[in-house]
Amino acid sequence: MIPVRRRTVIAASVVTVLAVAGGFEMAGPRPGQSKALRGILQRMIGDFTMEESAFDRFVEDFCAAKAHWSTFEADALAILENAGIIRSAARAYPGLASKLDQLERQALTEFALATGIQGPPGSHPLAYLGLFASGACNNPFARLA
Amino acid sequence: MARLKNLTPAENVAGQHFDTIIIGSGFGSGFFLLEALKHKRTGRVLLLEWGEIRSHAEQMEAGAHSAIKPGTTYTNSSAKPWNFTIGFGGGTNCWFGQTPRFHPSDFRLHSLYGVGRDWPFDYAELEPYYCEAEEVMAISGDEDMAAVLPRSRPFPQPAHILSTPDAMLKKARKDMHFAMPTARARLATDSRPACCANLRCTLCPIDAKFTANNSLTGVFEHPSVTFCAGARVDHLETENGLVRSVHFETGTGSHTVSGDLIVLGANAIHSPAILLRSGIGSGLTGRGLHEAYGIEAEVMLDGIDNFDGSTITTGLDYGAYDGPFRKTSGSALLYFENRWKFGFRPETGRWRQTLPIVIVVEELPRDGDRIELDPNGQPHVIGEAPSAYARDGAERAFNLLPEILAALPVERIEKRGVRPTESHLQGSLRMGTDPARSVVDHNQIHHVCRNLAVVGSSVFPSCSAANPSLTVAAMSLRAGRSLLA
């Protein structure tokens, strides 16, 4: 159980983030998004090696494809992730836990498909091959014959 | 803009007389035309399509089937959105290519279970036309399905490759669990490549599903047919109980053409709107709009990977479809998804151990769910939330999942919410033998205007849990033959 005072702080930070993030639009990944997504992915698949510019392109494409993650909702999650309190916040707010679960699964799925990994990448450098949706017959799992 | 060889400016046909005038170019109209062109009585045909002709390449470039957004063509105070395509090919553009037939019991719902309505013909009557429609669309399917849906001909194409969970279920439930019948080509045809499970069926990047664009242009370009695009039909004019002329609008103004046989296939919102603007028919016109009700579930598997089938939906299960329970709750079809609809699982080594299932349930059409005209003469949709009958059917099917999935190693099953829409608008001009309870007769001829045929899912008297397009196609072949042969 998270103390009431801590819940209040978390709630206040979410509200602040939403208010601030809702006020501007910009091209490319928003500040903190790349760092947050990298943190989320590392938590799920372990450390990975990828050029920063390639990873930024992935983040940009991911946010564009998942329109709901390019709004202030995503910014709020990013701030909480980067502040290291997203797990606590998710435990305090079931609605946030559900959003976090969706984000984690979508990020993992798109990243795995966009890099061709089918498990933890280890130390092998990863290349960004484009989002799954940008290709045609690129389903790595389908048996066609 | 793409063109058909016989595309003609509206001004060139204004004032002319045609033997047959067809309104709309989706499944209902396209398959009616396909049949009609085999019969001499059809004569000269004019086809009026509201939208533009947009090729597959143009659709891919624009990222949309049509420039007309459906939500801008009607107002809505019902509980859900209603999706459709206005443009050449209509719903053949946006459908996913799922083609289960309706179940024999769907046609006798009232006789068997005392709810809903019976259809004016039965499954056996429609069966030969199902076969013909399947041939035209090169449907891939599972011959074992005849255990539930009897068939007189084999499927034109072999079944798609099942995912691992589907293969296990089929082995354990061979009379209930089948490979999904589909118009996503299993094998390449003359006009379509084989489906490669790219999972983007709304606008298939490789054009593998049947569409009017890739498979029916020869029909629409027939020498007997004149095709006008960008022609929005406003109303029909009647005289002595027959439709005499069709009034339509284009970018250049209002035009009128006359015809002997009028075929209305402008979808279940716009077809009744045209009739309402024309003052044709009884108070039943526009009433009974419905579609199936859908929920989603996710099955967490234990040690079995999914996604290795050859198309987006590989399995279809009839374990919750038919029985006395339909007296009180809807029948349900279970669609087994070969895709990561909810994403991979986060646990290391278990990314693919997830099986999304869509549960689609029949709804009971209600007169209160209807199309009216707003003060501008445009359709306004009124409708209530899904009925208890449909919701109970979904709950029943969900609760049956542990039993249905007994052959799978299941860790847990989670509900994933209600689907906002199935994008299948049906039932606003229902078919029946009694003019006091229906709008069109058993041959889809309007009870009052006997030279007016209505095609498409607007004539469905009841709602199957199965996807409507194959049934629409089969019914149009039947209607065309009964009228013109």
Side-chain angles (χ1 to χ4, degrees):
Chain A
M1 195 69 175
I2 296 178
V4 172
R5 183 173 161 71
R6 190 160 175 208
R7 288 170 63 108
T8 308
V9 170
I10 292 169
S13 39
V14 171
V15 169
T16 306
V17 166
L18 292 176
V20 171
F24 64 90
E25 292 288 336
M26 57 187 302
R30 289 166 187 255
Q33 276 184 341
S34 281
K35 184 181 171 194
L37 274 176
R38 187 178 277 275
I40 287 170
L41 287 167
Q42 279 175 332
R43 203 165 56 235
M44 301 176 85
I45 62 173
D47 286 338
F48 60 89
T49 308
M50 189 177 203
E51 280 187 16
E52 206 61 38
S53 61
F55 189 71
D56 279 350
R57 279 206 315 283
F58 164 73
V59 174
E60 192 172 345
D61 291 348
F62 177 79
C63 291
K66 313 283 177 190
H68 52 296
W69 293 121
S70 61
T71 58
F72 51 76
E73 186 178 72
D75 289 327
L77 287 170
I79 298 277
L80 294 172
E81 168 69 27
N82 293 338
I85 57 171
I86 197 162
R87 286 280 164 201
S88 316
R91 279 194 294 275
Y93 299 99
L96 183 61
S98 157
K99 293 283 181 194
L100 177 61
D101 180 59
Q102 284 176 41
L103 174 62
E104 286 178 340
R105 292 183 68 177
Q106 287 180 354
L108 168 67
T109 307
E110 293 296 349
F111 188 71
L113 291 166
T115 55
I117 58 171
Q118 297 197 11
S123 58
H124 187 69
L126 301 179
Y128 176 48
L129 309 171
L131 289 189
F132 175 75
S134 65
C137 290
N138 55 346
N139 186 332
F141 312 120
R143 288 176 298 131
L144 303 177
Chain B
M1 186 173 94
R3 301 182 67 83
L4 294 174
K5 283 183 215 158
N6 53 349
L7 186 63
T8 307
E11 306 80 65
N12 294 10
V13 301
Q16 288 190 34
H17 182 86
F18 291 85
D19 300 296
T20 303
I21 299 174
I22 299 178
I23 301 164
S25 61
F27 277 105
S29 301
F31 278 80
F32 185 93
L33 179 60
L34 175 69
E35 177 63 31
L37 291 172
K38 296 173 185 167
H39 307 288
K40 204 171 175 183
R41 288 172 61 191
T42 304
R44 285 179 71 220
V45 180
L46 174 65
L47 198 138
L48 297 171
E49 166 55 51
W50 180 353
E52 65 185 316
I53 303 167
R54 198 176 257 195
S55 69
H56 176 260
E58 289 168 333
Q59 293 182 10
M60 287 298 292
E61 190 176 343
H65 305 105
S66 166
I68 300 173
K69 291 187 166 60
T72 64
T73 69
Y74 68 97
T75 53
N76 187 14
S77 58
S78 75
K80 58 166 64 180
W82 300 89
N83 294 334
F84 48 86
T85 298
I86 292 181
F88 172 61
T92 71
N93 292 288
C94 55
W95 77 320
F96 267 44
Q98 315 273 47
T99 56
R101 297 175 172 190
F102 284 10
H103 189 282
S105 297
D106 294 342
F107 297 85
R108 302 180 59 227
L109 191 61
H110 191 265
S111 297
L112 291 171
Y113 305 120
V115 295
R117 294 184 181 190
D118 286 352
W119 289 47
F121 50 78
D122 61 12
Y123 178 90
E125 160 87 25
L126 198 58
E127 202 282 332
Y129 301 98
Y130 270 137
C131 291
E132 289 183 38
E134 287 168 343
E135 201 66 44
V136 173
M137 292 193 261
I139 300 299
S140 147
D142 179 344
E143 299 302 338
D144 292 342
M145 196 171 230
V148 175
L149 308 172
R151 48 185 311 113
S152 57
R153 288 192 218 168
F155 279 103
Q157 292 214 349
H160 269 278
I161 296 171
L162 295 173
S163 67
T164 295
D166 272 322
M168 293 172 72
L169 285 169
K170 181 167 169 57
K171 191 173 173 191
R173 300 168 54 75
K174 68 183 176 121
D175 290 339
M176 285 286 173
H177 197 92
F178 310 106
M180 183 76 201
T182 175
R184 300 181 296 272
R186 171 73 186 92
L187 306 172
T189 72
D190 290 346
S191 60
R192 296 144 54 196
C195 172
C196 62
N198 57 51
L199 315 182
R200 296 191 291 287
C201 302
T202 302
L203 181 44
C204 175
I206 61 165
D207 208 15
K209 72 179 179 189
F210 168 91
T211 68
N213 256 318
N214 63 29
S215 301
L216 287 184
T217 48
V219 173
F220 287 102
E221 289 184 323
H222 189 278
S224 301
V225 179
T226 301
F227 195 104
C228 285
R232 188 186 73 83
V233 172
D234 183 71
H235 67 279
L236 314 176
E237 197 169 304
T238 59
E239 185 185 314
N240 300 326
L242 296 174
V243 177
R244 291 299 184 197
S245 58
V246 177
H247 295 252
F248 64 99
E249 292 169 1
T250 67
T252 61
S254 300
H255 311 281
T256 302
V257 286
S258 59
D260 294 328
L261 172 65
I262 312 300
V263 181
L264 180 58
N267 87 34
I269 289 177
H270 287 288
S271 285
I274 289 169
L275 294 187
L276 289 168
R277 286 196 293 267
S278 310
I280 294 175
S282 64
L284 286 174
T285 302
R287 291 185 177 270
L289 180 71
H290 67 270
E291 68 164 358
Y293 169 72
I295 67 168
E296 306 206 78
E298 182 176 14
V299 181
M300 303 301 185
L301 301 168
D302 190 359
I304 299 293
D305 280 347
N306 191 14
F307 315 145
D308 54 347
S310 62
T311 192
I312 189 168
T313 306
T314 46
L316 193 61
D317 197 286
Y318 282 79
Y321 202 95
D322 194 36
F325 69 88
R326 290 175 82 175
K327 291 175 182 168
T328 54
S329 57
S331 87
L333 255 186
L334 310 181
Y335 294 72
F336 285 65
E337 301 289 273
N338 180 50
R339 57 171 159 163
W340 39 90
K341 186 175 256 186
F342 307 108
F344 294 170
R345 288 182 66 172
E347 301 99 314
T348 302
R350 304 190 66 181
W351 290 359
R352 293 167 55 194
Q353 294 177 20
T354 162
L355 170 60
I357 294 178
V358 180
I359 299 173
V360 180
V361 187
E362 68 177 329
E363 176 61 284
L364 292 177
R366 299 168 293 199
D367 283 354
D369 295 344
R370 64 193 187 276
I371 317 297
E372 290 185 347
L373 295 181
D374 71 12
N376 300 316
Q378 299 312 308
H380 177 65
V381 181
I382 297 167
E384 293 177 15
S387 68
Y389 182 83
R391 286 184 279 111
D392 288 353
E395 194 64 23
R396 179 181 179 278
F398 181 83
N399 291 334
L400 280 172
L401 283 178
E403 183 186 321
I404 290 170
L405 304 175
L408 292 181
V410 173
E411 183 185 301
R412 65 183 191 278
I413 303 171
E414 296 187 358
K415 273 188 186 160
R416 291 293 185 206
V418 175
R419 288 155 63 85
T421 174
E422 294 303 310
S423 300
H424 298 148
L425 37 166
Q426 306 167 172
S428 52
L429 298 168
R430 282 169 288 176
M431 177 172 55
T433 51
D434 181 357
R437 298 189 67 228
S438 56
V439 177
V440 300
D441 71 10
H442 66 293
N443 284 329
Q444 301 179 229
I445 300 295
H446 196 276
H447 281 305
V448 177
C449 294
R450 301 301 292 168
N451 69 335
L452 172 63
V454 180
V455 294
S457 52
S458 57
V459 304
F460 287 1
S462 67
C463 171
S464 167
N467 310 62
S469 299
L470 177 74
T471 298
V472 166
M475 287 171 62
S476 277
L477 295 175
R478 177 183 174 275
R481 199 162 305 165
S482 65
L483 274 173
L484 297 163

